[in-house]
Each structure stands twice: as C-alpha cells, then as structure tokens.
Amino acid sequence: QAELFREALTNRFKMRDLGDLQWFLGIQVMRDWENQQIWLSQESYIEEIARRFQLADLNGSPATPISSKPVPNDDLADYATIHLYQRKVGSLNYAAVITRPEISKSCSELASFLNNPSKAHMAEANRCVQYLYGTRKLGILFDGKRTYDREFEVFTDASFADDSNTRRSSQGWLMILYGGPVAWNASKQATVTTSSTEAELLGLSFAAKEVIATMRLFAGLRFHLDENLIIWCDNKQTIRLVAQELQRLRTALRHVDVHQCWVRQEVQRGTFAVEYIETSKMAADGMTKILNRAKFQTFVKQLGLVRIPEAPVLT
C-alpha cells in the first residue's frame, strides 16, 4: 500500500522520491527498523551556531545552560550588542523548540532582555551555546520496544511570582509520548496572580487546552491511545479545586475563576483527569525554574534525552 500511495502522489504532483527521511530543516532523523527506534538530533545545527558565534573551542562545557536567573540591565545597550544578542537567543530558541527542551526555560529567561541586554545577559547566552555544543550529541529517542507505565504523559507546573520586575509567574508543560517529548512550553503568564494556587490553575488550564488540541491531532492521524488521559500536577490544592464539586477558589480575579470552572467542567466530562505527582518526579519542573546541577541532570533524564548513535542507523 505504501508503494501505491507513493505512486499516486508522484502521478498527481511534481516530486521526486528521495527515500527514507534523513534530514528535515536541520533535524537529523535516524532509524533502527529492527529495534523499532527513532532518534531526532540537531548536532549539526548546534555545531554550526557554535562556530558562527566563535564558541566551539571548549576545554569543557557548562553543566547547565544558565547559571542563575538574569536581572534587568540598568544601562542602555548599543545597537550592535542588541543585534548580536538577538541573533544568539534566536538561534538557541530554534533548538529549544525542536529537540532540546531542557534549554526552554533558559531561552525564556534570556528572551526577556532582547531589547536591552547587559554583559551578564550576553555571557549567559554564550554559556547556553557552550552547553549545547558540549552536549550536542543528546537527542530525542522514541523506542517502540520499551515498555512504559503510560503511553502518553502530560505534566504541568508553575512558579509563583518569580519575575521580580513584573511579578508574573512562570508556567510550563510537557507532553511525553512513548518515552520521548513531543511538545513542551516554558513561558511567563500573561497576567499577575495573587497566590501560587492561582498560578497553578492558570498553568493547568493552558496545558489542558494544548492537550485537547493534541488529542484532536492524534484523532486526525487515526492514532488512538488505549488509556485515559491524565495531567500530572504537584499542587494538591489545585487538584482539589478542579476535582471536587464543592471546592471553589476565592479570588478577585475573574479570569482565574473562569479557568477554574472550565477545567472542572472538562474533568467532570471525562476529557481528562488531574492527578498528583511529587515535585521530585515532576518532569515539567525544569520548565519553570533555574535548576542546580544535580536537579538539572535529573530533569534531562526525565525528558528522555539520550546520546545519539555515532553513525546513522539504517538497518
């Protein structure tokens, strides 16, 4: 049937059959058909940006992509500095959204200073490039033979009022399919909340809408999961508010109340369930916080990132 489909396409559209997919927009795709494994890597892209910014010559690479949470610049940066900084952060962001989710939080923090970066911000951007270069052989693995507790897992987290300038909270979510991350987000919430529970509710609502859109995509691809959908959250109060009928958050923020009612409605409909997971096992924790070395290494393992094979596997 694959041959018939290919023939029908080539008869209708002007195209060439280039064989199995190996490269797409700077993403290397490697397969091991016998062991049902697929790797996604941006090793070549990372090497290119490291050379472009003259950061490829390293005696050793940083253990984490960012050392600490950046603070605003008190001075005014010149145009050349701003342009160079924006180029670096933009280059980093492409890796962050494609195959390197562990630098998403770092890129989100660095992007907050695109219009007025300081020397410290530039140093952190350089550090992130150097981290990527030192770990350029990390990639995403989808393993068809490995057994998993759940086929599809969704994690959501928030960090309350962690932006000292605006007091907006950070939020993040992560979707893992068969052990590999397929979608993720690390961003600032659009509004200021007045409690950690409100921040968690907004983050949960945002993640839930993305999950519903993803499930619709799966349905369009005729891919169906043999399990109920669960969103993992590490805030028990938030779970009680959306899972119990009589629980209600007392808030002066109308939009937070609306989000709470919507999430509870979808939970009652059976669209998804919201369940508790310990913070130490929360895979989205690194999407909302700057982690130390030990916690960051755990975060990378939770994401399912692995060292890619030395040579393309085409068996």
Side-chain angles (χ1 to χ4, degrees):
Q1 294 215 351
E3 290 294 332
L4 292 175
F5 179 71
R6 187 181 296 111
E7 183 180 349
L9 279 177
T10 54
N11 288 337
R12 183 174 179 83
F13 303 101
K14 185 177 180 180
M15 62 173 60
R16 292 183 299 157
D17 183 1
L18 300 178
D20 292 334
L21 176 64
Q22 296 184 33
W23 291 91
F24 180 74
L25 298 177
I27 309 162
Q28 186 177 13
V29 181
M30 291 175 284
R31 292 182 177 89
D32 185 340
W33 293 103
E34 183 178 350
N35 293 312
Q36 300 178 15
Q37 293 177 320
I38 298 177
W39 292 267
L40 301 179
S41 167
Q42 287 181 286
E43 180 182 1
S44 296
Y45 172 76
I46 292 170
E47 290 178 345
E48 177 189 339
I49 64 174
R51 287 193 299 267
R52 182 190 310 158
F53 299 119
Q54 301 179 351
L55 296 168
D57 296 328
L58 297 177
N59 295 322
S61 64
T64 59
I66 192 171
S67 62
S68 59
K69 193 175 181 65
V71 296
N73 185 11
D74 293 330
D75 299 321
L76 189 63
D78 59 76
Y79 175 79
T81 300
I82 294 172
H83 181 63
L84 177 60
Y85 183 79
Q86 290 177 347
R87 288 175 59 208
K88 288 179 181 179
V89 175
S91 298
L92 287 167
N93 195 54
Y94 184 61
V97 301
I98 300 297
T99 63
R100 302 301 298 269
E102 85 272 30
I103 70 167
S104 295
K105 174 58 177 176
S106 302
C107 286
S108 176
E109 291 292 340
L110 294 173
S112 300
F113 308 99
L114 289 177
N115 293 325
N116 190 33
S118 67
K119 291 182 179 179
H121 299 146
M122 188 71 76
E124 292 291 358
N126 291 342
R127 176 190 174 101
C128 197
V129 174
Q130 291 171 330
Y131 163 81
L132 276 185
Y133 184 73
T135 59
R136 59 192 181 278
K137 291 189 176 295
L138 283 183
I140 296 175
L141 168 64
F142 298 100
D143 193 338
K145 286 191 173 181
R146 180 182 168 187
T147 57
Y148 304 94
D149 294 334
R150 298 190 61 82
E151 298 174 338
F152 186 58
E153 292 193 287
V154 183
F155 303 86
T156 177
D157 194 23
S159 183
F160 173 59
D162 62 333
D163 188 326
S164 59
N165 189 37
T166 65
R167 283 306 173 189
R168 290 190 297 166
S169 303
S170 295
Q171 65 182 11
W173 50 262
L174 171 69
M175 302 182 200
I176 295 180
L177 180 66
Y178 296 118
V182 293
W184 54 87
N185 174 267
S187 60
K188 295 288 184 186
Q189 293 185 344
T191 186
V192 177
T193 54
T194 58
S195 70
S196 59
T197 300
E198 290 181 356
E200 293 279 0
L201 271 172
L202 285 183
L204 172 59
S205 176
F206 185 76
K209 292 173 183 178
E210 293 294 330
V211 171
I212 290 174
T214 301
M215 297 303 293
R216 288 172 179 167
L217 173 62
F218 286 170
L221 296 173
R222 299 181 183 178
F223 171 68
H224 301 283
L225 297 170
D226 297 324
E227 60 189 18
N228 295 328
L229 179 60
I230 294 176
I231 300 178
W232 298 103
C233 176
D234 63 357
N235 186 294
K236 292 182 179 181
Q237 174 65 8
T238 300
I239 297 172
R240 285 194 293 268
L241 288 171
V242 300
Q244 298 180 15
E245 179 66 32
L246 298 179
Q247 290 284 337
R248 192 68 179 268
L249 176 67
R250 295 182 180 180
T251 175
L253 302 177
R254 180 181 178 185
H255 60 282
V256 173
D257 191 41
V258 171
H259 281 284
Q260 176 192 348
C261 292
W262 177 82
V263 174
R264 182 192 288 125
Q265 167 190 280
E266 296 305 312
V267 169
Q268 291 177 348
R269 285 179 175 177
T271 306
F272 53 81
V274 182
E275 296 191 7
Y276 175 75
I277 189 171
E278 297 176 10
T279 300
S280 61
K281 298 179 180 179
M282 169 52 69
D285 196 46
M287 297 291 177
T288 62
K289 302 172 185 68
I290 303 298
L291 304 177
N292 60 35
R293 179 173 183 170
K295 289 184 177 180
F296 184 78
Q297 290 175 345
T298 300
F299 175 52
V300 171
K301 291 179 181 178
Q302 290 174 325
L303 290 172
L305 300 179
V306 300
R307 186 178 178 86
I308 62 173
E310 291 296 330
V313 179
L314 300 174
T315 59

